[in-house]
Each structure stands twice: as C-alpha cells, then as structure tokens.
Amino acid sequence: MDTLQFLFTGFGIAFQWHNLLFAFFGVLIGTAVGVLPGIGPMSGIALLIPVTASVTGGLGPDEAAASSIILLAGVYYGAMYGGSTTSILLNTPGESSSVVTTLDGHQMAKQGRAGAALAISAIGSFVAGIVALVALIFLAAPLSKLAIRFGPAEYVALMILGLCAVSGLAGKSMTKALMMTVFGLLLSTIGLDTVSGVARFTFNNPALFQGLEFLTVAVGLFALGEVFKTILEGDFNTGTVAKIQKVMPTKQDIKVSTMPIIRGSLLGFIIGVLPGAGATLASFFAYSVEKKVSKTPGKFGQGAIEGVAAPESANNAASGGAMIPLLTLGIPGSGTTAILMGALIMYNVQPGPLLFEEHPTIAWGLIASMFIGNVMLLILNMPLVKIFAKIIETPPKYLIPMIIAISIFGVYAVQVSVFDLMLLIVCGLVGYFFTQHDFPLAPIVLGLVLGPMIENNLRRALITTNGNYMIFVERPGSLILLSIAALWILIPIVLKMKGKKVIVNDEAA
C-alpha cells in the first residue's frame, strides 16, 4: 500500500504544469533524436543537461532535479519510439536498438504497409512502456537482487547466448551468420586495449585508437549499403509508388502482433534490468525468439509484422528495465543511464538504495512522468503515422540524397571526424558486397556491440580464478546460459541432418 501512496504522490509531482511541459518536450525531442541516425539518446541527453540546468535554475534543489530528470528520461524513451521511423521507411536505423526493425519493417514499407508497421511499432512501444513501468513499481527490489548476483562469468555466458541467438537471423545459412558474427567480434577488438593500453589493429592511425564507432558501421552497412545497391544496380522505381490507403493495422495484424508484443515487453524488461545488456541485445533476442516460436519462420525478413512488433516492444521495455539498477542500486545499465546518473549527481542526488528514502519526490515523480510520457508519445505518434508513411512515396532521386545527407550529418555529429565519413563509405560498400552474396549484416552489428563486453567480463572472471576457465561451468547461472547457447546452435543442425536423412531414405525407396 505504501508503494501506491508513493506513486500517487509521484503523479502529483508529474502533473505540475511545468513538469508536464518538461515531459512533453522531452518525448518530442527524444522522438526527433531517435529519427536522426547518430544523434542517439546519449548525445541528446548530454547536450540537454546544461540546458535543463539553466531552465530549472529558479526551482528548489529537489524540484529542479525532478524536472530535469523528467525531461532527460523523456528523451531516453522517446528515442526508442523515434528510432523505428527511419528503420522502417528508409532502412536506416535511427538508433542502435532499431537495427533489427529494418529486417522486416523496411520490407513492409516496400509492400505498401509502412503505415501498419509504424502503427504497430507505436502500439508495441506504448504497451511495452506501460508493462515495464508496472513491473518497475512492483518488482524493482526482487529483480535488482537477482541482477546484482550476476557475476562476470554469467555476463560472458549471457553475451555468448546473445551471439548464438543471432543465428536466428541467419537467413539461408547459419554458417554465413556465424562468420559474420566472428567478423563483428574481430572489428570490436580494434583500438586500445583497456587493460594494457596496447594498440590493436590500429596501424598507427590515431583515429582508430578509440575503436570503430558503432553507429558509423551500422548506418554504413544498412543505409549506405541500400543506397549503393540502388545506384549500382539501377534499382530505381520508375513507376508510381502505390498510395498507402490504410495506415492503421488490420484486426489480423493486431491479432498476430499481440503475443510478440507481450513476449517482447517481458523479455526486454528482464534484459534491461541486467546492467550492460541494453536495448540492442533485447531487440535481437526478441526477434530471434519470435522466429524460433513461429510456425512460418521463412516469412521473417520478408515483411512479417511480428518482426517489427517484438523488437520494438523489447527495446522500449528495456529502457524501463534499465531504470531499476540505476535507481535502486546506483549501477548504470547502459551508456545512456550512466549519463542520467551523472545528471542526478550534478544535482547532489545519489542514485542507489537510499534514493527512495532521501529523495522520494524525484524517484516517484520520474516513474509517474514515464506513464504520462508514454501516453504523450502514443498521442503524438499515431496521428503522425500517415505523415511518416508518405515519405516512402518520395521518388528515389530525392530519397537517396536525403538518406545520404541524414547519414553523413548523423555520423559526423557523433565524432566530428572526417575519418568516420570515410569509414561510413567503406562500410556502405562492404554492406552492399555482403548483401549481394547473401551474408547477413545483423550479426556483424551484434558482434561489434557485444565484443568489448565479452572481453571485459571474460578478463574479470579469469582474474578472480587465476586463469581457471572452469568458473564458466562451475557457476550454475553461467552453465545454464551456456547450455542454452549450445542447444540454440546444435538443435537446428541436428534437425537439418535428420531432414537430409529422411530425403535420402525416401530417394532410396
């Protein structure tokens, strides 16, 4: 009952007129941040921290902190909504967690179903946001206790499971998917070694010391790869693009998407609670799970609406889940929540076990504002679906320069580096080459994201055991996750071999 009383107090704070304005502008800016490739929530929040400090200068310490964190959190989960827009319409992931949405979302857009894809994305994100917030209110304490028990060995096992799960995105060949996963892991080793400081695969180029910028690689592979395909193959749509008559999803679309949205929301929230896992891993997992449970897995990658509903729900739920370790333990689960933590500390508010006791107005005001923000996002996004869907009707001669301009602006804004622009072009050509030869691009992206996490946690685990690898099978959590990862790879291989034997026997008969 105390929880509900605190929540009502939080709503009292969130419904103050200035906090409603902060929430509105936060989600609005967040949506725009998600749409633009490169200007992710980390960059958006970092840029807005000094702005919020000046705007809230006339308020009391706790009021100023509450208002600022309401706006900054709005940018965070607003970006989860906005990231799907360019993924669906332009095959350009606006945010790293929207990479998976390009696989089916863009195919739906090509089929004239951009409106349905965008609407399901908005509905799924809204449902996931509400599910995550309800869980955040009632499950924060027990889930935090479970997450804090995860040691480095469990994290390594979890990441390996994530890499094995990407075989679900393999398309026709699991071998090619695993090759691309290893290639992504190799790319992740470029840069300075975090422990020894030794430069690896940098060829004495200072621009490579920090490693490859994730978004540069992702935008290059997906967005510019599509541009090069269109230009080099002359794949221009010379006829008129079919008008999108219906922007709302059909009853069948909603029926088919209901369970993927629920599964994606729950899975995304659980993964979001684990520090370091994040929305990107959640969206990959959700997509892989949907493909595994589907009776017709072949339709994934061809415009399956479940392939939009599940990852979009998962990445939004993960942003809610990431708030648990931040608020209750003072452990940022991602780069974005680390910046949010820095913003709170700037206001002399220390996230952690004492936050709810010492600053209840901030903690519960933030949680209540996230309810309000999700409603605002749904109201904002649903009417704009038709406007967004119209973008797909833009002729290629206008669309291609637009994609190139958005990609270059977004990538340059992250590092302000000409080298990154050159890398963008190289990744575009590589993406085109791989696509032409049926090599999936998604595993490269996941390998690049998870590589540093696996390396850091692997070292931590081995340091604690003086180099004894048995820790990965001696710890029950790690053993279970590694067993699931092994089964994820072996079961399809065994089933494929059995299928071949059946065919051979039938031919022999």
Side-chain angles (χ1 to χ4, degrees):
M1 199 63 185
D2 286 342
T3 300
L4 291 176
Q5 286 175 350
F6 280 125
L7 184 61
F8 286 132
T9 304
F11 273 110
I13 294 158
F15 273 117
Q16 291 174 358
W17 70 269
H18 59 277
N19 285 336
L20 284 173
L21 277 178
F22 278 122
F24 174 76
F25 283 115
V27 297
L28 188 64
I29 294 167
T31 304
V33 158
V35 167
L36 290 170
I39 314 295
M42 278 202 294
S43 304
I45 291 170
L47 289 169
L48 283 172
I49 286 174
V51 176
T52 58
S54 59
V55 172
T56 59
L59 300 173
D62 271 19
E63 285 182 329
S67 298
S68 295
I69 205 69
I70 283 170
L71 188 148
L72 298 175
V75 174
Y76 180 28
Y77 54 86
M80 299 297 116
Y81 268 69
S84 63
T85 304
T86 47
S87 292
I88 292 168
L89 298 178
L90 307 177
N91 201 36
T92 306
E95 171 55 26
S96 60
S97 56
S98 300
V99 168
V100 188
T101 309
T102 61
L103 302 177
D104 284 279
H106 190 58
Q107 292 300 318
M108 287 182 69
K110 284 183 174 179
Q111 297 162 15
R113 301 182 64 212
L118 286 166
I120 279 295
S121 171
I123 293 167
S125 295
F126 172 75
V127 172
I130 298 302
V131 167
L133 284 166
V134 171
L136 173 61
I137 291 165
F138 294 104
L139 301 177
L143 282 176
S144 295
K145 287 177 184 176
L146 177 65
I148 204 170
R149 289 174 63 186
F150 261 51
E154 284 80 7
Y155 276 117
V156 171
L158 177 66
M159 303 303 170
I160 290 173
L161 174 57
L163 292 174
C164 292
V166 87
S167 63
L169 309 174
K172 296 177 183 177
S173 170
M174 184 186 290
T175 305
K176 286 182 176 180
L178 292 173
M179 286 171 66
M180 291 298 95
T181 304
V182 173
F183 181 59
L185 289 171
L186 289 172
L187 291 179
S188 74
T189 61
I190 294 172
L192 293 177
D193 185 287
T194 53
V195 175
S196 65
V198 174
R200 302 183 298 190
F201 309 113
T202 59
F203 306 101
N204 293 322
N205 186 342
L208 288 172
F209 285 171
Q210 291 184 338
L212 300 182
E213 177 63 38
F214 166 79
L215 221 44
T216 304
V217 176
V219 171
L221 290 174
F222 287 91
L224 281 198
E226 191 75 14
V227 167
F228 283 128
K229 180 183 176 186
T230 305
I231 294 171
L232 295 174
E233 297 183 6
D235 187 19
F236 293 95
N237 190 352
T238 52
T240 55
V241 179
K243 288 190 176 181
I244 301 166
Q245 302 290 345
K246 192 174 181 64
V247 296
M248 294 299 291
T250 61
K251 287 183 179 178
Q252 179 62 23
D253 286 336
I254 293 172
K255 183 181 177 182
V256 170
S257 302
T258 300
M259 286 311 295
I261 287 173
I262 293 170
R263 280 192 291 264
S265 300
L266 296 174
L267 185 64
F269 177 77
I270 292 167
I271 291 175
V273 170
L274 300 171
T280 305
L281 183 59
S283 60
F284 272 97
F285 260 125
Y287 188 93
S288 299
V289 167
E290 288 310 312
K291 193 169 181 180
K292 289 286 182 186
V293 302
S294 175
K295 294 178 181 177
T296 53
K299 67 181 180 180
F300 282 80
Q302 308 297 320
I305 199 163
E306 304 99 301
V308 175
E312 281 302 307
S313 302
N315 69 33
N316 208 270
S319 67
M323 289 292 179
I324 285 184
L326 173 67
L327 297 178
T328 60
L329 303 172
I331 300 172
S334 64
T336 310
T337 49
I339 295 174
L340 285 174
M341 181 176 176
L344 283 169
I345 292 171
M346 189 180 79
Y347 285 98
N348 294 319
V349 177
Q350 179 63 52
L354 299 177
L355 175 66
F356 286 83
E357 291 181 17
E358 295 179 351
H359 304 280
T361 55
I362 296 171
W364 290 104
L366 170 62
I367 291 170
S369 76
M370 291 174 76
F371 273 104
I372 297 166
N374 271 283
V375 175
M376 286 178 174
L377 278 167
L378 189 66
I379 294 169
L380 274 172
N381 280 267
M382 292 302 285
L384 294 176
V385 161
K386 197 167 185 177
I387 296 169
F388 290 144
K390 286 287 180 184
I391 296 173
I392 203 66
E393 297 181 20
T394 308
K397 62 181 180 180
Y398 302 121
L399 195 61
I400 287 174
M402 188 191 307
I403 294 172
I404 293 171
I406 291 173
S407 300
I408 290 174
F409 172 76
V411 165
Y412 190 73
V414 175
Q415 295 277 18
V416 195
S417 165
V418 175
F419 175 82
D420 271 34
L421 297 182
M422 295 167 62
L423 178 63
L424 179 72
I425 295 168
V426 171
C427 288
L429 290 169
V430 169
Y432 167 70
F433 173 80
F434 282 148
T435 304
Q436 286 299 101
H437 294 83
D438 292 324
F439 284 92
L441 300 178
I444 301 176
V445 174
L446 191 64
L448 188 62
V449 171
L450 295 186
M453 299 183 194
I454 292 174
E455 183 179 7
N456 290 336
N457 283 292
L458 179 65
R459 281 179 164 173
R460 286 173 56 206
L462 294 178
I463 286 170
T464 58
T465 60
N466 292 322
N468 185 0
Y469 284 88
M470 289 303 292
I471 186 175
F472 297 105
V473 293
E474 288 172 352
R475 291 183 69 92
S478 174
L479 179 61
I480 291 168
L481 290 169
L482 288 174
S483 300
I484 295 170
L487 291 172
W488 205 297
I489 294 293
L490 292 173
I491 288 174
I493 295 172
V494 171
L495 291 175
K496 194 172 182 180
M497 289 173 66
K498 282 188 175 181
K500 284 182 179 178
K501 285 179 183 177
V502 170
I503 292 170
V504 170
N505 290 337
D506 287 346
E507 288 175 350

